Amino acid sequence: MKAFFTLVFILFSSTTFATEQAEEIFAQLTPSLYQIKLIDKASGEKSSIGSGFQISADGIIATNYHVISSYARHPEKYRIEYLDHQGNMAEVDLVSVDVINDLALVKRQVNNEMPYFKLSDKKPIKGEKLFALGNPHDLGMIVVPGTYNGLKKESFNERIHFTGSINSGMSGGPVVNKLEKVVGINVATSGNQIGFLVPHDKLVTLFNDYNKKAPTDIKQQMSAQLMANQDKLMSALINSNWQSKELASKALFPLIDVPFIRCWGDSNADKKDALILAAIASCSLDENTYLSSHFFTGSVEIEFRYMQAKNLSDNKFYHLYQRQIARASAGNRGGKDDISEFQCHDDLIKPASTANTSKEINNKSIFCTRAYKDFPGLFDVLYLGASIDRNQQALVSHFTIAGVSQENAMAFTAKFMEAVSWK
């Protein structure tokens, strides 16, 4: 019993200390915290709300790109305002973005030097206590204690796994250590005390680049970042090891050996009354790049679907097969102001003769592309290959990639087609 009361006392003392420390940090840093609002000019009402924090004496404020994304893409329609802890409001200018890491810098007008957040010169260690600050649900600024759990696994672009309640409206707020130095930026939540942060070194790079370079057109800056990131991603995919894996013991499909592409499998082998035996392997990149509320890019989706008829005529099987093919579509969302209509080319593909012709697949292939209107040289790509060489067996191989160059699209497609075969 004594041990129990001792444990309760320790837990109570630890919680009390964390709360007191959080309150002290909040009191010290509140003057440099802001609510960031996007205002629709025509209505005069707010369109989105997030958080921001000052990182220089001359008024540079950091926030998330997604908080101000509508302004970045349509500056004629919106303006950006801040609200400080004393209720003062004023307009700010967007001066730089990092769309890949969901960061933005805005600048307020200042008459005198102001207090600001210091950026840490080192990364936190696993298990370290951190404090997230922000403006959840437009309720005012708060501080939330949490724990650093390292970088998110299986991620192409780095994100910190943070155990703490990051809520809507806290996006763009700082996460500090006990020395009150910024080690991350609030960006997303998965609920259940699971949050994700942008590592602070991404903000350090953006801020340093802003200080070194002449002012840049925001759309040109975004375009260059998207182009560089897709080149990095596609190079990693194309140059990685593509392992051959069986599908339903009948076909071979490529498994791309990179940690950020995750795969799942399914089949209807347990359905005795199914007219067609189906086995599916689906792989995807579990992240994307936010451009606006209705336009995302940077996604990769791959699917292989094997089908075998069970007591069906060739005509009936072909009809059901065609319906499966028709379901293939691009997963990337975008409106007519963002992207062009798909332009498609289809052909019968017969692979070059090999030593084992029984493994070759004769495909009806469809290759489609659509262009990004604001970001020249970037395209969404859809490929579908449907086998036509076996009467009651079929293999559909399909992928979509969002926001790639023509060169990378063609290189990936060529390698993809060569890697699919019968077993």
Side-chain angles (χ1 to χ4, degrees), residues 70-204:
S70 295
Y71 176 89
R73 303 206 63 217
H74 304 288
E76 71 286 352
K77 184 179 178 182
Y78 301 94
R79 68 176 183 269
I80 309 172
E81 293 182 353
Y82 75 81
L83 174 69
D84 69 14
H85 70 296
Q86 295 178 328
N88 300 311
M89 291 186 296
E91 194 168 342
V92 294
D93 298 317
L94 178 62
V95 295
S96 191
V97 300
D98 177 354
V99 68
I100 304 303
N101 291 297
D102 201 354
L103 294 172
L105 301 179
V106 298
K107 191 175 191 306
R108 60 167 293 183
Q109 298 299 316
V110 298
N111 298 319
N112 302 299
E113 287 196 356
M114 299 182 59
Y116 59 92
F117 282 80
K118 307 293 193 301
L119 304 182
S120 179
D121 56 2
K122 60 182 180 180
K123 298 179 181 179
I125 59 175
K126 199 160 187 177
E128 183 175 345
K129 180 69 72 176
L130 302 177
F131 303 88
L133 297 93
N135 182 62
H137 303 292
D138 199 18
L139 297 175
M141 290 293 178
I142 67 167
V143 57
V144 175
T147 306
Y148 175 81
N149 288 290
L151 295 176
K152 179 186 176 185
K153 295 180 179 179
E154 301 171 339
S155 180
F156 180 68
N157 290 305
E158 292 181 344
R159 293 291 184 266
I160 291 171
H161 176 198
F162 173 75
T163 303
S165 299
I166 297 177
N167 297 301
S168 177
M170 292 182 73
S171 292
V175 178
V176 301
N177 58 23
K178 63 182 180 181
L179 300 177
E180 302 178 4
K181 291 188 176 181
V182 176
V183 294
I185 301 91
N186 300 325
V187 71
T189 180
S190 292
N192 298 318
Q193 294 287 99
I194 297 176
F196 297 106
L197 319 174
V198 179
H200 78 288
D201 61 319
K202 311 300 183 186
L203 178 57
V204 171

Side-chain angles (χ1 to χ4, degrees), residues 13 42 76 79 117 194 208 227 255 293 321 326 330 355 361 401:
S13 299
E76 71 286 352
R79 68 176 183 269
F117 282 80
I194 297 176
N208 288 342
M227 186 64 74
L255 194 64
S293 59
Y321 181 34
I361 291 184
I401 305 177

Side-chain angles (χ1 to χ4, degrees), residues 247 263-267 279-282:
L247 185 61
C263 297
W264 299 263
D266 195 12
S267 75
I280 305 166
S282 300

Side-chain angles (χ1 to χ4, degrees), residues 258-272:
V258 290
F260 49 85
I261 295 289
R262 304 175 67 186
C263 297
W264 299 263
D266 195 12
S267 75
N268 66 347
D270 60 326
K271 307 297 183 184
K272 303 302 182 183

Side-chain angles (χ1 to χ4, degrees), residues 235-244 253-259 261 415 419:
S235 294
L237 294 177
I238 293 169
N239 296 322
S240 67
N241 179 34
W242 288 34
Q243 301 174 358
S244 187
F253 72 94
L255 194 64
I256 305 176
D257 188 19
V258 290
I261 295 289
K415 188 166 183 176

